[in-house]
Amino acid sequence: MLAKKLNLKFYDSEIITLIAKETGYSEEYVSRNENRLDNALLYQMIMQDYAVPLDKSLSKQDALYVASAKVIRKLASESPCVIVGRGADDILKDNPLCIKIRLFASFESKLDRCLNSYHLTKEKALKAMNLFDKRRAEHYAHYANADINDIHRYDLVLDSGAIGLEECCDLICALFKNRSSNVNSAAQSNQKL
């Protein structure tokens, strides 16, 4: 919705294909494992020799993260875009054009969205929600070294369950247009100097 309103490229599951190309892993493997950390794989990089291929120097999860970060930085450098999740807010934290947004909703709102959007039974929806939230929080904590729910990490935090997706989209659009205008004005001022 946001990408359409702003006429920007949108990246979510498309990133899986790009990560697969970067790592040589199958798209199915990337999709299953990109936000997953197995306890046995929670360790630091084995080697710092960046000339060594990713699959020889890192755990598979670390290699997926490095490839994901590389893909996200490349996409963000090519043109303004909307990137969903994958710790993009942390990966792009030094990019002055990056707007870091956190959407959240109450448990009831999330459950209702899961039931209506994915047509799952309540039991399956609850299990999927808990597993997804747990894996995402662990992944973020490991790679960003931070709590995904820390509101201070974001430029804007919105309760999509309370105010709705349309209004969230409108607020984000306003922030994007304001930020873009300020960046363009600053760039023009610097050119005059």
Side-chain angles (χ1 to χ4, degrees):
M1 184 186 312
L2 179 65
K4 284 181 183 177
K5 279 191 177 187
L6 293 172
N7 196 29
L8 299 175
K9 291 183 179 180
F10 173 77
Y11 299 103
D12 186 11
S13 58
E14 301 83 359
I15 291 179
I16 291 170
T17 302
L18 298 171
I19 295 169
K21 287 179 185 174
E22 184 72 29
T23 61
Y25 297 137
S26 71
E27 288 184 35
E28 180 184 348
Y29 178 84
V30 173
S31 178
R32 257 192 349 262
N33 292 284
E34 69 170 331
N35 284 323
R36 183 177 176 178
L37 288 174
D38 295 325
N39 288 338
L41 295 172
L42 291 176
Y43 58 86
Q44 297 298 319
M45 291 170 47
I46 295 168
M47 298 168 60
Q48 292 293 323
D49 183 356
Y50 296 106
V52 176
L54 288 177
D55 63 340
K56 302 289 188 230
S57 62
L58 305 174
S59 71
K60 287 184 178 184
Q61 273 67 27
D62 287 342
L64 285 175
Y65 178 78
V66 170
S68 178
K70 187 175 179 181
V71 165
I72 288 168
R73 284 190 192 101
K74 182 178 185 300
L75 295 173
S77 72
E78 292 174 348
S79 67
C81 58
V82 175
I83 300 174
V84 176
R86 292 173 176 81
D89 65 300
D90 187 64
I91 292 165
L92 298 173
K93 66 185 171 199
D94 295 326
N95 182 331
L97 300 176
C98 178
I99 301 173
K100 298 170 287 300
I101 298 165
R102 175 84 166 127
L103 298 180
F104 72 95
S106 69
F107 177 81
E108 293 80 16
S109 293
K110 285 173 35 176
L111 179 59
D112 186 51
R113 192 170 292 153
C114 278
L115 293 173
N116 292 323
S117 297
Y118 303 110
H119 310 291
L120 300 173
T121 65
K122 185 174 181 179
E123 183 180 314
K124 285 186 179 183
L126 291 171
K127 186 176 178 181
M129 283 172 44
N130 289 331
L131 184 61
F132 182 80
D133 287 347
K134 180 179 184 266
R135 283 184 176 169
R136 184 174 53 185
E138 287 173 351
H139 186 269
Y140 196 86
H142 181 69
Y143 289 107
N145 196 28
D147 180 356
I148 196 169
N149 296 310
D150 179 359
I151 63 170
H152 300 97
R153 297 187 62 79
Y154 305 98
D155 299 312
L156 185 62
V157 178
L158 299 169
D159 183 343
S160 63
I163 64 175
L165 294 176
E166 288 279 342
E167 191 165 343
C168 286
C169 187
D170 291 342
L171 290 167
I172 298 167
C173 282
L175 178 59
F176 175 81
K177 290 174 183 175
N178 186 7
R179 174 85 51 98
S180 296
S181 174
N182 290 342
V183 168
N184 289 335
S185 295
Q188 288 174 353
S189 295
N190 286 339
Q191 286 178 350
K192 292 177 184 176
L193 296 175

